[in-house]
Each structure stands twice: as structure tokens, then as C-alpha cells.
Amino acid sequence: MNSRYSYQSAPYGQQQQQQFQPGRQHTMRPAGGPAGFVGAGPNPRPPQGADPQLWNWFITVDEDRSGQITATELQRALVNGNWSAFDLDTTKMLMGIFDVDHSGSISFNEFAGLWKYIADWQNVFRHFDSDNSGTIEGHELANALRQFGYNLSPQLINLIATKYSALPVSTAPGAPPPGISFDRFVRACVAIKTLTEAFQRLDTDRDGWIQINYDTFLSTMLSAP
């Protein structure tokens, strides 16, 4: 590949895994952090061997006490650091990742994986939100993607930042800061990962160029969150 912009510098997530130790447990706090769950109240006793705090979160999110969490329940429970609701597309993406039995909802065991996934992404978000604004701006996004192994052009960085910014920039008092909120940052990174992996599967000679038909192009693009 002749371009100085490349997807081949490092595997996605390599530096994240080294730096943020995904195996650690984290406490989720919606206030003062990039995201979290709306507060939990008193709940029934957890199943044997379950983490009591995690069970409390699950019961709180499971509003109809069905033993399963739907996308609607999950979206109502998740908030960004500025208390804005999670983006529905991000919520559906999370459901798709952790609904391993394809039931359309997530069980307690699936929820445990989701909880840890969000907690790990919180650490990533805090690290790259260098000005502690609560959003990821263009230069912070470029830094994050570069450390994930994606050396993208400034034009692509700007396109991603524009696409995933939650709201138009406003100077009105109390308006959200410019940039990408936590939920959309996660979705943007997963989208870049998904599309890059799809491209790499098609780029069999690793020269940075592929030739595909229309159906393959649409299938590849629609596979991204």
C-alpha cells in the first residue's frame, strides 16, 4: 500500500488491552464519568454465586421482572456522563454483541459481560478525553484510533467525528460540549473495527486495494453498527 495512511500498524485493541487491563473490575458511576446505569434500589436476593451489586443492577434494569432485559429497558437504564440517554443504535449494537443466544433480550449472565464491557470502555474514554470535557473531539479521536492501530487521514477523522457527534455545536448556555459522547464513541470504534476487518478479509494480498461487486459493498457497509 503506497499511502501513508494504513490500517496495518497494529491489531485493533492491542494497546487498549495493554494499557487498560480489561480483566479488572470497575465501578460504574453515571455522575462524574462518561457513562453508567441509572441508580439501583433494593432488590431480591441474587442467584447463588452471583455478584450482589451486579444482580441489583440487573433487577433494576429489568423493569418488568421477566428475567430478561430488552433493548428498550437497557436504553432507559444507560446514561452518558452528562445524563443524556444512550443512543438507540448503540444500545442495539450492545444487545447484538451480548445476546449470544439470539433471543432478542439478554439474561443475567449476558448482562454480566455487558456490564464489564461498558466499564472497560469507560476507562478508555476517560483516558482519551484529555481535557475532561465529557466528549471526544477530533484530535482526541485521532489519538485514540492511532493507538488502536488505525492510521487514518485527517479527512477520514473529520468524517468520523462529524458522523458520530451527538448534536450540532451550540454556544448557548448549558449546551452540551462539542464532540462525540461516550455511547457514540464506543459505536464509532466498533464500526471502524468491523469495517476494517471486513476490508482485510477481502484484501487478500494486503496491498490496500480491493475489487468488489455492488452486493459485497452493500453487505460490508451494512454490517457496520
Side-chain angles (χ1 to χ4, degrees), residues 2 4 12 27 42-43 49 69 80 84 96 108 111-112 125 127 149 153 159 166 175-176 187 191 199 219-220:
N2 295 326
R4 65 190 179 96
Y12 175 86
T27 301
N43 295 311
I69 293 174
N80 289 299
S84 63
F108 174 69
F111 178 78
F125 186 94
H127 176 76
S153 69
L159 179 62
R187 184 156 62 94
F199 186 93
S219 177
T220 301

Coordinates of all heavy atoms in Angstrom, one line a residue, residues 2 4 12 27 42-43 49 69 80 84 96 108 111-112 125 127 149 153 159 166 175-176 187 191 199 219-220:
N2 N 0.7 2.1 -1.0 CA 1.6 3.3 -1.1 C 1.2 4.4 -0.2 O 2.0 5.3 0.1 CB 1.5 3.8 -2.6 CG 2.1 2.7 -3.5 OD1 3.0 2.0 -3.1 ND2 1.6 2.6 -4.7
R4 N 0.4 6.7 3.0 CA 1.0 6.8 4.4 C -0.1 6.5 5.4 O 0.2 6.4 6.6 CB 1.7 8.1 4.6 CG 0.8 9.3 4.7 CD 1.6 10.6 4.7 NE 0.8 11.8 4.7 CZ 0.4 12.4 5.8 NH1 0.8 12.0 7.0 NH2 -0.3 13.5 5.7
Y12 N -6.3 -4.2 16.2 CA -7.2 -3.3 17.0 C -7.3 -3.8 18.4 O -7.4 -5.0 18.7 CB -8.7 -3.5 16.4 CG -9.7 -2.7 17.2 CD1 -9.9 -1.4 17.0 CD2 -10.4 -3.4 18.2 CE1 -10.9 -0.7 17.7 CE2 -11.4 -2.7 18.9 CZ -11.6 -1.4 18.7 OH -12.5 -0.7 19.5
T27 N -16.1 0.1 39.0 CA -17.4 0.6 39.5 C -18.0 1.5 38.5 O -17.4 2.4 38.0 CB -17.3 1.3 40.8 OG1 -16.7 0.3 41.7 CG2 -18.6 1.7 41.4
P42 N -33.4 -1.4 46.4 CA -33.4 -2.7 47.0 C -34.0 -3.7 46.0 O -35.0 -3.5 45.4 CB -34.3 -2.5 48.2 CG -34.3 -1.0 48.4 CD -34.2 -0.4 47.1
N43 N -33.4 -4.9 46.0 CA -33.8 -6.0 45.1 C -33.8 -7.3 45.8 O -33.2 -7.5 46.8 CB -32.8 -6.0 43.9 CG -32.9 -4.7 43.1 OD1 -33.9 -4.3 42.7 ND2 -31.7 -4.2 42.8
G49 N -23.9 -17.6 43.8 CA -22.7 -17.3 43.1 C -22.6 -16.0 42.4 O -21.6 -15.6 41.9
I69 N -33.5 -8.7 29.8 CA -33.5 -7.2 29.6 C -33.7 -7.0 28.1 O -33.0 -7.6 27.3 CB -32.2 -6.6 30.1 CG1 -32.1 -6.7 31.6 CG2 -32.0 -5.2 29.6 CD1 -30.8 -6.3 32.2
N80 N -25.2 8.7 29.6 CA -23.9 9.3 29.4 C -23.5 10.1 30.7 O -24.3 10.3 31.6 CB -23.8 10.2 28.2 CG -23.9 9.3 26.9 OD1 -23.0 8.5 26.6 ND2 -24.9 9.6 26.1
S84 N -27.4 12.4 29.5 CA -28.2 12.2 28.3 C -28.4 10.7 28.1 O -27.5 9.9 28.5 CB -27.5 12.9 27.1 OG -26.2 12.2 26.9
G96 N -26.7 -6.7 20.4 CA -26.3 -7.7 19.4 C -25.0 -8.4 19.8 O -24.8 -9.6 19.5
F108 N -29.1 -12.6 32.8 CA -28.2 -12.1 33.8 C -26.8 -12.4 33.4 O -25.9 -11.5 33.5 CB -28.5 -12.7 35.2 CG -27.5 -12.3 36.2 CD1 -27.4 -11.0 36.7 CD2 -26.6 -13.3 36.7 CE1 -26.5 -10.6 37.6 CE2 -25.7 -12.9 37.7 CZ -25.6 -11.6 38.1
F111 N -25.8 -10.1 30.7 CA -25.7 -8.8 31.3 C -24.3 -8.6 32.0 O -23.8 -7.5 32.0 CB -26.8 -8.6 32.3 CG -26.8 -7.2 32.9 CD1 -27.2 -6.1 32.3 CD2 -26.4 -7.1 34.2 CE1 -27.2 -4.8 32.9 CE2 -26.4 -5.9 34.9 CZ -26.8 -4.7 34.2
A112 N -23.8 -9.6 32.6 CA -22.5 -9.5 33.3 C -21.4 -9.2 32.3 O -20.5 -8.3 32.6 CB -22.2 -10.8 34.0
F125 N -12.4 5.7 27.4 CA -13.0 7.1 27.1 C -12.3 8.1 28.0 O -11.9 9.2 27.6 CB -14.5 7.0 27.4 CG -15.2 8.3 27.0 CD1 -15.7 8.5 25.7 CD2 -15.3 9.4 27.9 CE1 -16.4 9.6 25.4 CE2 -15.9 10.6 27.5 CZ -16.5 10.7 26.3
H127 N -9.4 8.0 29.4 CA -8.0 8.2 29.0 C -7.9 9.2 27.8 O -7.0 10.0 27.8 CB -7.4 6.9 28.7 CG -6.0 7.0 28.2 ND1 -4.9 7.2 29.0 CD2 -5.5 6.9 26.9 CE1 -3.8 7.2 28.3 NE2 -4.1 7.1 27.1
G149 N -4.4 1.4 16.5 CA -3.8 0.8 15.3 C -4.3 1.3 14.0 O -4.0 0.7 12.9
S153 N -6.4 9.2 7.6 CA -6.2 10.5 7.1 C -7.0 11.5 7.9 O -8.0 11.2 8.5 CB -6.6 10.6 5.7 OG -8.0 10.5 5.5
L159 N -14.5 13.1 9.0 CA -15.8 12.5 8.6 C -16.4 11.7 9.8 O -17.6 11.7 10.1 CB -15.6 11.6 7.4 CG -16.8 10.8 6.9 CD1 -17.9 11.8 6.4 CD2 -16.4 9.9 5.8
A166 N -22.9 13.8 18.7 CA -24.3 13.6 19.1 C -25.2 14.8 18.6 O -26.3 14.5 18.2 CB -24.3 13.5 20.6
A175 N -25.5 24.2 26.9 CA -25.5 23.3 25.7 C -24.4 22.3 25.9 O -23.3 22.5 26.5 CB -25.3 24.1 24.4
P176 N -24.6 21.0 25.4 CA -23.5 20.0 25.5 C -22.3 20.5 24.8 O -22.3 21.2 23.8 CB -24.2 18.8 24.8 CG -25.6 19.1 24.8 CD -25.8 20.6 24.7
R187 N -19.6 3.2 19.7 CA -20.1 2.7 18.4 C -19.2 3.1 17.3 O -19.0 2.3 16.3 CB -21.5 3.3 18.2 CG -22.2 2.8 16.9 CD -23.7 2.9 17.0 NE -24.2 4.3 17.1 CZ -24.5 5.1 16.1 NH1 -24.4 4.6 14.8 NH2 -25.0 6.3 16.3
A191 N -17.5 0.4 14.8 CA -17.8 0.4 13.4 C -16.4 0.4 12.6 O -16.3 -0.3 11.6 CB -18.5 1.7 13.1
F199 N -12.7 -5.3 5.4 CA -11.8 -4.9 4.3 C -10.6 -5.9 4.3 O -10.1 -6.3 3.2 CB -11.3 -3.5 4.5 CG -10.5 -3.0 3.3 CD1 -11.0 -2.3 2.3 CD2 -9.1 -3.2 3.3 CE1 -10.3 -1.8 1.2 CE2 -8.3 -2.7 2.3 CZ -8.9 -2.0 1.2
S219 N -23.2 -5.2 1.5 CA -23.2 -6.1 2.7 C -22.1 -5.7 3.7 O -22.4 -5.7 4.9 CB -22.9 -7.5 2.2 OG -22.8 -8.4 3.2
T220 N -21.0 -5.2 3.2 CA -19.9 -4.8 4.0 C -20.3 -3.5 4.8 O -20.1 -3.4 6.0 CB -18.6 -4.5 3.2 OG1 -18.2 -5.7 2.5 CG2 -17.5 -4.0 4.1

